């Protein structure tokens, strides 16, 4: 009689089989995406816009299906103990579904970047040279919680002539599939390859590792959109270029010349409009020579925001908790804000340079010279004057949508929209020139 196979051997064989299955599935996605990318690079603007229009229509018509799928995801996420900030990102409602459809329509209205001439010149020998926009190819996007990224990313990649492979979080799997079906319906209606927008079919975490390390033949760039642990993993493991940011440790500096009512409204909105987005303010800095701190902090506290302040600010209100060193570099993504007094705009700039994440910073002041010093001196992807940091969004920038905010300096910086998803090539026209 043969001896029974040990359980450890069975588990090992099963694991090896699962890995092989993931690899086979991902290879198939890659091949299909690469083929679709070639077709999209030649697709007309009308065809791409027709697909997007049909997708927006499908999202509206199928909103009942989207809401049902999302309710199931939210219920499961609650059972798993998902944090309040991640739950906020996960939830779909009528307004967010309509915003997805409108975002796609905004992308339709954007000029098609593909084939546009960025620059042109003629050399003394008569060669005519043009720098022309072209797609990146195949974009891989790895994201957590927010199912609307599926629509934004799919639409932006399609408009910019790129195929895309989407890998969302397991917590939003049902919602992602429902949204993807709407995008696929748009592609079919326009006669474009459905493989132009694909979703990784498995929630197996091995798929992420395979996508990052073993698909260089297919994927040209990866965009991570999620928490620090996800972005760090992508940056560490990816064997293709990465566009992304680690943290959104955003600041508002209230200058001595700030309008008090404006300062209060800007800070409240920057922190509390939506605490779970990367553009939410995490630290507010007050000019020592100003008088806005008491009023602004009281408004935050009264609105239910926890304030962690330095010793000077703690004396203003007994509800203010002591700040520790780690608070200055923390992205809370919760109704918590760090607060500190600084000696003028140069000290604010220095604090942001030391503790910030180069994402988004704002100054509130009526002094134009001080504003220009801040805007020029802060080296972040987005700097604002007299406006909330929550405007750090591609849609608010008129880009239709974005697939993330890049804090890199190569290849894109700030909101990553249609133009940022392109590269360029040089087209040179001659009349028989040869090089001496």
């Amino acid at each position: 009689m043969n001896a029974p196979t040990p359980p450890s051997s069975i588990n090992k064989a099963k694991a090896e089989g699962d890995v092989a299955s993931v690899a086979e599935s991902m290879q198939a996605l890659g091949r299909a995406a690469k083929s679709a990318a070639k077709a999209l690079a030649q697709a007309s603007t009308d065809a791409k816009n027709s697909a997007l229009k049909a997708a927006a229509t499908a999202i509206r018509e199928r909103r009942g299906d989207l809401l049902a799928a999302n309710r199931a995801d939210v219920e499961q996420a609650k059972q798993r103990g998902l944090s309040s900030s991640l739950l906020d990102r996960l939830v779909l409602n009528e307004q967010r579904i309509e915003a997805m459809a409108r975002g796609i329509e905004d992308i339709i209205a954007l000029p098609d970047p593909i084939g546009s001439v960025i620059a042109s010149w003629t050399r003394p020998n008569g060669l005519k040279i043009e720098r022309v926009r072209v797609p990146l190819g195949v974009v891989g996007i790895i994201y957590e919680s927010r199912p609307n990224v599926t629509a934004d990313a799919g639409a932006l990649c399609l408009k910019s002539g790129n195929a895309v492979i989407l890998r969302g979080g397991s917590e939003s799997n049902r919602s992602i599939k429902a949204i993807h079906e709407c995008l696929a319906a748009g592609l079919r209606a326009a006669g474009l390859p459905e493989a132009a927008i694909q979703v990784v079919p498995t929630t197996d975490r091995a798929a992420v590792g395979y996508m990052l390390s073993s698909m260089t033949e297919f994927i040209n760039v990866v965009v991570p959109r999620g928490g620090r642990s996800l972005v760090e993993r992508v940056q560490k493991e990816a064997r293709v270029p990465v566009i992304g940011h680690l943290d959104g440790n955003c600041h508002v500096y209230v200058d001595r010349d700030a309008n008090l009512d404006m300062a209060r409204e800007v800070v409240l909105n920057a922190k509390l409009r939506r605490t779970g987005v990367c553009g939410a303010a995490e630290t507010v800095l007050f000019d020592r020579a100003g008088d806005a701190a008491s009023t602004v902090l009281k408004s935050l506290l009264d609105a239910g925001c926890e304030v962690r302040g330095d010793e000077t600010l703690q004396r203003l209100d007994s509800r203010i908790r002591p700040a520790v060193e780690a608070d200055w570099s923390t992205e809370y993504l919760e109704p918590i804000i760090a607060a500190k007094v600084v000696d003028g705009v140069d000290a604010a700039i220095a604090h942001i340079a030391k503790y910030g994440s180069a994402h988004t910073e704002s100054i509130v002041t009526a002094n134009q010279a001080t504003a220009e010093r801040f805007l020029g001196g802060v080296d972040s992807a987005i700097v604002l004057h007299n406006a909330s940091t929550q405007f750090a969004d591609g849609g608010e920038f008129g880009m239709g949508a974005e697939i993330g905010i890049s804090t890199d300096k190569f290849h894109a910086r700030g909101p990553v929209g249609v133009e940022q998803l392109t590269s360029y090539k040089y087209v040179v026209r001659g009349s028989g020139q040869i090089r001496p």
Side-chain angles (χ1 to χ4, degrees):
M1 177 180 286
N2 294 330
T5 304
S8 59
S9 298
I10 295 174
N11 292 338
K12 181 180 179 181
K14 183 178 183 299
E16 289 174 350
D18 290 344
V19 170
S21 177
V22 166
E24 183 178 345
S25 175
M26 296 302 292
Q27 284 282 319
L29 286 180
R31 287 192 295 271
K34 191 169 183 178
S35 176
K38 292 179 181 178
L40 284 186
Q42 303 300 319
S44 69
T45 302
D46 286 344
K48 292 185 287 188
N49 285 345
S50 293
L52 293 172
K53 183 177 181 180
T57 298
I59 285 173
R60 290 192 175 103
E61 291 178 346
R62 302 182 189 187
R63 61 183 179 275
D65 295 337
L66 270 60
L67 289 170
N70 186 249
R71 281 194 296 270
D73 282 337
V74 171
E75 182 58 35
Q76 181 174 294
K78 288 179 178 177
Q79 293 173 5
R80 293 180 178 177
L82 208 68
S83 69
S84 59
S85 61
L86 290 179
L87 278 174
D88 175 63
R89 296 183 180 197
L90 174 60
V91 170
L92 290 179
N93 52 35
E94 292 277 358
Q95 292 74 27
R96 291 184 181 181
I97 289 173
E98 176 59 24
M100 275 196 293
R102 285 202 312 269
I104 292 175
E105 289 170 341
D106 289 342
I107 292 169
I108 294 172
L110 295 174
D112 188 342
I114 302 307
S116 63
V117 178
I118 304 169
S120 63
W121 61 95
T122 301
R123 298 291 297 144
N125 62 4
L127 287 178
K128 298 178 179 180
I129 303 173
E130 294 178 335
R131 189 184 302 134
V132 180
R133 288 197 185 278
V134 297
L136 293 174
V138 177
V139 180
I141 301 179
I142 303 172
Y143 54 106
E144 297 173 328
S145 301
R146 295 178 65 174
N148 62 295
V149 172
T150 310
D152 292 347
L156 286 167
C157 287
L158 176 58
K159 185 64 180 261
S160 56
N162 296 290
V164 61
I165 298 174
L166 300 161
R167 206 292 186 175
S170 59
E171 68 279 356
S172 55
N173 188 49
R174 300 176 185 86
S175 305
I176 289 170
K177 287 181 177 178
I179 295 168
H180 176 251
E181 288 172 3
C182 298
L183 300 175
L187 291 166
R188 288 194 298 271
L192 293 175
E194 284 190 53
I197 304 173
Q198 297 181 91
V199 170
V200 175
T202 178
T203 58
D204 191 325
R205 295 176 70 87
V208 175
Y210 194 89
M211 190 172 175
L212 295 174
S213 63
S214 303
M215 296 187 69
T216 55
E217 178 185 354
F218 308 115
I219 296 177
N220 298 97
V221 65
V222 171
V223 182
R225 187 162 178 177
R228 169 177 277 270
S229 61
L230 169 67
V231 179
E232 284 183 334
R233 180 187 179 188
V234 170
Q235 292 179 334
K236 180 180 179 181
E237 297 182 20
R239 296 179 61 195
V240 295
V242 176
I243 300 175
H245 72 275
L246 282 177
D247 292 316
N249 185 21
C250 305
H251 299 73
V252 178
Y253 166 60
V254 180
D255 183 56
R256 69 188 68 182
D257 295 318
N259 175 280
L260 182 58
D261 290 336
M262 181 188 292
R264 181 177 62 249
E265 293 302 314
V266 167
V267 173
L268 281 171
N269 183 269
K271 176 69 257 186
L272 296 177
R273 173 188 165 270
R274 287 187 67 186
T275 59
V277 298
C278 62
E282 307 292 12
T283 298
V284 57
L285 304 172
F286 294 98
D287 189 336
R288 192 179 302 277
D291 57 3
S294 179
T295 299
V296 171
L297 294 179
K298 182 179 185 302
S299 296
L300 283 167
L301 290 160
D302 290 347
C305 182
E306 178 182 325
V307 177
R308 301 178 183 179
D310 63 12
E311 290 183 2
T312 300
L313 296 177
Q314 288 171 52
R315 292 194 286 269
L316 299 178
D317 195 306
S318 61
R319 294 173 292 176
I320 298 176
R321 300 184 179 185
V324 297
E325 180 68 15
D327 286 312
W328 310 127
S329 54
T330 297
E331 181 185 32
Y332 301 107
L333 299 176
E334 299 283 355
I336 304 170
I337 195 166
K340 185 177 184 179
V341 170
V342 295
D343 293 317
V345 65
D346 289 334
I349 293 170
H351 178 97
I352 292 168
K354 181 176 181 179
Y355 296 105
S357 59
H359 193 291
T360 300
E361 331 296 348
S362 178
I363 180 174
V364 183
T365 185
N367 188 313
Q368 192 63 38
T370 303
E372 293 304 320
R373 188 173 187 86
F374 182 90
L375 298 175
V378 172
D379 187 19
S380 292
I382 302 170
V383 288
L384 306 103
H385 175 206
N386 289 344
S388 169
T389 57
Q390 299 237 356
F391 282 106
D393 177 87
E396 295 297 327
F397 276 37
M399 296 178 174
E402 37 97 339
I403 58 172
I405 306 292
S406 171
T407 55
D408 295 331
K409 295 187 178 182
F410 305 99
H411 136 88
R413 198 178 195 199
V416 179
V418 169
E419 285 192 4
Q420 291 71 35
L421 290 172
T422 65
S423 182
Y424 54 81
K425 67 181 179 183
Y426 289 94
V427 177
V428 183
R429 294 181 173 88
S431 54
Q433 289 91 336
I434 59 173
R435 185 170 177 175

